[in-house]
Amino acid sequence: MSPTILLLLALGLGLAGWLAARARAYSFKREVAGGRLAALPSYHAWYVALWVLIPTVLFVAVWSFIAPQLVTSSVLASPAAANLPEFGFLRSTILNEAAAVAKGDAAGVFNDQAQALIEPYREAIGQSRMIGLIATMVIGFMGGAWAFLRIKPDFAARTRVERTVMAILLLASLVAILTTLGILVSLTFETVRFFGMVSPVDFLFGTFWGPDPMSTTTDPTRYGAIPLFWGTIFIGAIIAMIVAIPLGLMSAIYLTQYANPKWRAWLKPALEILAGVPTVVYGYFAALTVAPFVRDLAQSVGIANASSESALAAGVVMGVMIIPFVSSMADDSIAAVPQAMRDGSLAMGATTSETIKRVLVPAALPGIVAGIMLAISRAIGETMIVVMAAGAAANLTANPLEAMTTVTFQIVAMLTGEGSFDHPATLSAFALGFVLFLVTLGLNFIALRVVKRFREAYE
Amino acid sequence: MSEATLPNRSAHFQARLKKRYAAEQRFKFLGLGAIIFSVCVLAVLLVSMTMNGVGGFQRAELSVPVNFREAGLTIEPQRLKDSDAIQALETAGLPMLVQTAAEQALGPDGAEQVSSDAWREVGRAIVDDPALLGSEKTFNLPATNSLASALRGEGREDLRPLAKELSDKGLLARHFDPGFLTRADATDPQMVGIWGALKGSILTMLVTLALAFPIGVLAALYLEEYAPKNRWTDIIEVSINNLAAVPSIIFGLLGLAVFLWIFPFYRSAPLIGGMTLALMTMPVIVISGRNAIKAVPPSIRDGALAIGASPVQVVFHHVLPLALPGIMTGTIIGMARALGETAPLLMIGMRAFVATPPDGFTSPATVLPVQIFLWSDEIDRGFVERTSAAIIILLLFLLVMNGLAIYLRNRFEKKW
């Protein structure tokens, strides 16, 4: 809670600076002949407030990051910590227990050694809180005082405030680049570490996937990702698309070309609800309702070994999830075809369906293809449905009734276990994530290029 | 119109025309079928969740009359106001008292099936209303999970006669369980509640909103109003568009690798979850925000500039207020997506068993979709109902959010 208090303190100081500076600016207004300042009083106020807020908020951000480490190191330096066990699980448990009691989160400790550490912890936490509080006050006052002394009747406060505002706007837009960089760097970093243990060739072309998070040796032959890639493609790009493309396309055609406006007003939102259902709900639906149904159906036609976790169930439900996505992309690109082309075809005596099949769809094809690309990229990145319905077995098979596993399933499986960050099984999740990132990025890029070229054709 | 003016149609032509019209009809019905199929799947999903979920709002309860007057529980009224009032009641012998009352009402076999934590609910009732100690009241106490499944006709064979006997006497019945909305996770489906996850979701969403909304809006303003056309701007635009299409699990990997590395002490806290989801939501807000800003006509800007406003004043006094409803709509839609998101939060460790509702942004928490995922892993039939009930609550939340977005869109839609 300590950073929150410091932030509130910073805000309070900022408000005080704002009010003081505004009052000062109004007093200038009375003193100066003609009552005109170089900037409105509120700009003087904002100038001071910014000088209080920016340094203090920066300090609080940095402080909340380093303070816990300072506390830990000062506790470890205390005599009571001298006989702690060496690095490991027990040591961190003892430290955590003592810290929890010192913060008031827990009533007592289970470990005797932790008891001795409570006092040093309490002291260190109190100290760090005091330092944070005083430093925030001092920084806020110094910033505020410096800015306050600079405001004068002819001080161009507005220019300075606006320059700061522009800088903040620029920083906000840079967050996107930072995020992209963060994704790239973190994925690359861990992937490189993984490839230090398992060769990329084994990873990309091996056909056996069976990482063992408990083993202490690295066996590179267990990290062949081909079955995962196949499972991902089979579920996301084949089964799901067999469901989603015809249904989505036909829905879009019916809604734009046939449905009367009254029905359209009801059906289109109904389709959109399909897109708004959380994937965990789809996953539950797939596992609870669709998968047993598929299994029973398969058994009733004589397939005895049908699995209750099947690629088919996951793929079909995923396809249903994607329908509104394909439908709205197709909708947009059909609507973008010039009305004259449609009218021309109808005037020649073609029926509506002939017009759609021979004129509208071919003309809208680039947009539709782009939509399908985006749909595939969404399907292969989808996680919860496959985690809940597709199974964990890495099978290299074309039988949709068998359990299959996907890239996203394995990322979840590898990172929610107890494995450490030095184990290749854990790191393999980042390598898989990297491949997933590159593939979806590639698909999106192609889709956007296709859409761009297509749009130019009619403008 | 007489016969003579009709065009001369050969039999061959007639047949072909008929075939073409038939094809037209088939095509039309195919389209209708596609839509009906999709809507039917949605209906099946909603109906199956509702049918399963209705049971999830109930629990099997045994009615036990407790006569406090005669039982003579002695406790100082002052102690009931303390924070450890329940512990005080425990030492005063409340569990034993409830046990005896249950034996009197239900017989020894029946009393065994009262959940072992049931006395806590009696205790909480006493804390709420100390006057109870001088009177008599019939409590509906939770039954054990085994008896609850026996009542449904599942689970242990040997308990079914008992369940039947008690329910015939009117002592065992399924009641609406208001506690489902106020408790947190537990291992017994009879005792679980949704509030812990809901509170975690709310805290996480607050962090997401506090980060994604200002950053998203400011970035949209910069890109739409001030950004020079150069390579930097292009890079920013491309990375925003790409981020909007990156799979959510990748954001989870980012959160795991970066945020948990910076803040190792806040594993599975709403703070980290909210930060991760904010990065995911921000591009959505930027894209919708840009569209809303683009829709504000240039004449507004020109008018403001003409009377001497600075570019910053134009944007913050005129463009932003006019674009705000559109930005809000996009923000709500982005937040609805973040609310339903599960995978990135699994990555950063929000899948832990959390039995107490989080009391701050930094305490361990879980969120509604993750809670659904965790419960869906339990094989107990009781959890199936609870999971569906939690799904109903999640869907209701999303419905409200989307409804709000539609309302805002309709209320503030402007034709310039």
Side-chain angles (χ1 to χ4, degrees):
Chain A
M1 284 325 274
S2 168
T4 322
I5 294 169
L6 290 185
L7 274 182
L8 286 177
L9 179 69
L11 281 180
L13 285 176
L15 184 67
W18 194 88
L19 289 173
R22 212 170 78 112
R24 179 112 177 98
Y26 272 114
S27 77
F28 285 147
K29 222 175 160 149
R30 283 192 295 275
E31 290 162 15
V32 175
R36 281 188 70 88
L37 305 181
L40 291 175
S42 69
Y43 280 104
H44 288 97
W46 277 114
Y47 178 72
V48 174
L50 284 174
W51 263 104
V52 176
L53 280 175
I54 292 175
T56 44
V57 170
L58 281 180
F59 168 76
V60 171
V62 175
W63 180 249
S64 62
F65 166 50
I66 57 171
Q69 277 142 359
L70 287 181
V71 166
T72 315
S73 62
S74 99
V75 168
L76 291 180
S78 75
N83 47 7
L84 268 180
E86 278 304 301
F87 287 94
F89 181 68
L90 188 62
R91 181 188 174 99
S92 56
T93 321
I94 293 174
L95 287 177
N96 284 343
E97 272 188 354
V101 175
K103 280 183 207 153
D105 293 343
V109 292
F110 295 102
N111 202 305
D112 293 335
Q113 273 184 297
Q115 190 65 45
L117 285 173
I118 293 176
E119 232 5 83
Y121 248 114
R122 209 166 268 162
E123 228 165 75
I125 288 173
Q127 231 169 33
S128 89
R129 274 184 190 160
M130 195 52 83
I131 295 174
L133 206 66
I134 292 173
T136 310
M137 300 272 269
V138 168
I139 291 172
F141 270 120
M142 270 167 44
W146 192 79
F148 193 80
L149 292 177
R150 288 194 65 189
I151 54 173
K152 301 215 163 52
D154 56 349
F155 179 66
R158 194 182 82 181
T159 339
R160 318 247 167 183
V161 171
E162 291 192 345
R163 216 177 288 158
T164 318
V165 169
M166 290 301 281
I168 293 173
L169 289 183
L170 183 63
L171 280 179
S173 66
L174 287 182
V175 171
I177 291 189
L178 285 180
T179 311
T180 310
L181 274 183
I183 289 176
L184 274 176
V185 169
S186 59
L187 289 182
T188 317
F189 184 70
E190 307 287 350
T191 306
V192 167
R193 274 176 71 195
F194 174 67
F195 284 147
M197 302 177 209
V198 177
S199 101
V201 178
D202 287 335
F203 176 71
L204 289 175
F205 301 106
T207 55
F208 174 69
W209 179 263
D212 179 8
M214 290 301 129
S215 84
T216 47
T217 56
T218 311
D219 180 2
T221 58
R222 299 178 77 93
Y223 293 92
I226 289 281
L228 310 187
F229 298 149
W230 167 245
T232 309
I233 291 170
F234 193 59
I235 293 177
I238 298 179
I239 300 179
M241 289 305 131
I242 287 176
V243 174
I245 293 173
L247 286 172
L249 208 53
M250 289 309 292
S251 309
I253 287 172
Y254 187 81
L255 282 179
T256 52
Q257 307 297 325
Y258 289 111
N260 70 26
K262 224 164 91 186
W263 277 98
R264 188 181 148 90
W266 279 101
L267 289 173
K268 209 170 153 61
L271 268 191
E272 279 167 1
I273 293 179
L274 222 47
V277 173
T279 54
V280 68
V281 177
Y282 276 120
Y284 189 60
F285 181 62
L288 187 79
T289 313
V290 181
F293 177 73
V294 166
R295 184 197 54 208
D296 294 345
L297 204 67
Q299 280 171 349
S300 69
V301 297
I303 304 166
N305 61 349
S307 161
S308 64
E309 288 181 324
S310 64
L312 189 62
V316 167
V317 172
M318 198 189 274
V320 170
M321 182 191 90
I322 307 269
I323 288 173
F325 192 70
V326 175
S327 162
S328 77
M329 292 295 287
D331 197 336
D332 289 348
S333 44
I334 290 175
V337 177
Q339 183 69 18
M341 287 174 78
R342 187 166 175 261
D343 293 347
S345 166
L346 289 174
M348 298 287 285
T351 63
T352 314
S353 68
E354 285 163 351
T355 306
I356 293 166
K357 280 188 275 192
R358 308 256 173 90
V359 178
L360 292 185
V361 170
L365 202 59
I368 294 172
V369 170
I372 290 171
M373 292 276 205
L374 291 178
I376 293 177
S377 109
R378 178 171 282 203
I380 64 177
E382 168 43 42
T383 310
M384 294 322 290
I385 295 177
V386 291
V387 165
M388 292 165 88
N395 279 328
L396 199 54
T397 162
N399 177 1
L401 294 171
E402 272 189 55
M404 244 179 235
T405 192
T406 63
V407 168
T408 47
F409 183 107
Q410 290 302 320
I411 294 175
V412 172
M414 292 300 128
L415 287 177
T416 50
E418 294 294 313
S420 80
F421 263 75
D422 299 322
H423 198 280
T426 315
L427 291 176
S428 70
F430 287 91
L432 290 172
F434 197 50
V435 173
L436 181 67
F437 180 70
L438 289 184
V439 170
T440 52
L441 219 58
L443 282 170
N444 294 330
F445 190 69
I446 296 170
L448 288 177
R449 287 311 276 270
V450 171
V451 168
K452 231 177 195 169
R453 279 188 63 181
F454 161 70
R455 283 216 176 119
E456 280 164 5
Y458 292 110
E459 269 169 6
Chain B
M1 222 189 278
S2 67
E3 283 284 318
T5 54
L6 268 178
N8 193 10
R9 287 173 168 169
S10 68
H12 176 64
F13 182 90
Q14 294 272 5
R16 227 173 49 158
L17 195 61
K18 209 172 158 194
K19 229 168 112 184
R20 282 174 64 202
Y21 281 156
E24 168 74 24
Q25 283 301 316
R26 275 202 307 277
F27 191 74
K28 191 174 165 182
F29 282 126
L30 223 57
L32 187 60
I35 292 220
I36 288 179
F37 175 81
S38 320
V39 175
C40 277
V41 173
L42 182 67
V44 169
L45 191 153
L46 294 180
V47 167
S48 80
M49 291 306 150
T50 317
M51 297 224 313
N52 277 317
V54 167
F57 289 106
Q58 301 176 325
R59 70 176 176 181
E61 286 175 340
L62 294 155
S63 57
V64 176
V66 185
N67 190 338
F68 293 104
R69 216 167 346 148
E70 285 174 15
L73 192 68
T74 46
I75 183 156
E76 293 163 39
Q78 199 51 45
R79 292 219 58 185
L80 288 178
K81 293 197 178 72
D82 292 347
S83 60
D84 60 344
I86 300 286
Q87 279 92 314
L89 282 167
E90 185 177 12
T91 27
L94 183 65
M96 207 48 220
L97 194 162
V98 173
Q99 178 74 18
T100 322
E103 265 169 38
Q104 274 169 5
L106 310 165
D109 281 347
E112 219 168 80
Q113 294 304 323
V114 176
S115 168
S116 57
D117 274 340
W119 65 269
R120 286 178 196 276
E121 289 189 9
V122 180
R124 246 167 268 138
I126 295 175
V127 173
D128 286 345
D129 177 19
L132 219 56
L133 282 175
S135 65
E136 186 179 349
K137 188 182 172 190
T138 304
F139 287 92
N140 281 329
L141 296 178
T144 57
N145 189 33
S146 333
L147 190 68
S149 32
L151 181 65
R152 276 193 298 265
E154 298 159 7
R156 281 163 55 183
E157 296 269 349
D158 54 325
L159 278 178
R160 286 184 206 173
L162 178 68
K164 188 159 169 14
E165 186 198 325
L166 288 172
S167 70
D168 284 347
K169 279 192 207 154
L171 294 171
L172 173 65
R174 291 173 65 78
H175 295 289
F176 174 69
D177 174 23
F180 181 63
L181 300 174
T182 57
R183 290 186 304 252
D185 199 4
T187 46
D188 179 352
Q190 283 276 84
M191 300 301 289
V192 298
I194 204 72
W195 176 236
L198 199 57
K199 196 173 175 191
S201 266
I202 293 171
L203 291 174
T204 309
M205 286 298 111
L206 283 178
V207 176
T208 306
L209 187 66
L211 289 174
F213 183 70
I215 296 178
V217 172
L218 294 179
L221 283 177
Y222 178 76
L223 290 175
E224 205 53 49
E225 297 286 331
Y226 303 116
K229 280 267 165 278
N230 61 18
R231 182 181 278 173
W232 265 106
T233 315
D234 279 351
I235 295 178
I236 296 176
E237 284 190 19
V238 168
S239 57
I240 286 177
N241 287 332
N242 274 334
L243 281 183
V246 166
S248 60
I249 194 167
I250 302 285
F251 286 97
L253 290 176
L254 173 72
L256 176 66
V258 175
F259 293 151
L260 282 186
W261 174 71
I262 298 178
F263 304 104
F265 302 101
Y266 298 147
R267 202 177 159 78
S268 73
L271 181 69
I272 304 291
M275 279 158 69
T276 308
L277 291 182
L279 293 184
M280 218 185 79
T281 317
M282 191 263 301
V284 179
I285 297 180
V286 173
I287 290 170
S288 71
R290 289 187 69 174
N291 287 332
I293 293 166
K294 217 180 271 171
V296 177
S299 57
I300 304 259
R301 299 177 182 88
D302 296 344
L305 284 170
I307 58 167
S310 72
V312 172
Q313 284 172 328
V314 170
V315 165
F316 281 92
H317 295 178
H318 302 276
V319 176
L320 188 57
L322 290 172
L324 211 52
I327 299 177
M328 296 282 274
T329 313
T331 305
I332 296 172
I333 289 169
M335 293 299 288
R337 227 167 82 183
L339 177 64
E341 201 53 72
T342 322
L345 300 177
L346 289 184
M347 295 285 92
I348 58 160
M350 288 186 97
R351 55 173 285 141
F353 176 80
V354 181
T356 49
D359 51 357
F361 292 107
T362 52
S363 48
T366 187
V367 295
L368 211 41
V370 177
Q371 186 74 78
I372 290 167
F373 174 66
L374 292 176
W375 284 351
S376 75
D377 259 0
E378 307 273 350
I379 38 173
D380 197 298
R381 166 82 194 151
F383 270 111
V384 174
E385 293 187 330
R386 294 299 200 181
T387 312
S388 303
I391 285 176
I392 291 176
I393 292 185
L394 178 63
L395 290 179
L396 282 179
F397 255 81
L398 290 174
L399 205 68
V400 170
M401 285 174 83
N402 284 314
L404 192 65
I406 292 171
Y407 171 78
L408 276 175
R409 188 157 57 199
N410 293 342
R411 173 85 174 66
F412 293 104
E413 200 165 44
K414 265 197 198 115
K415 288 271 181 282
W416 299 94

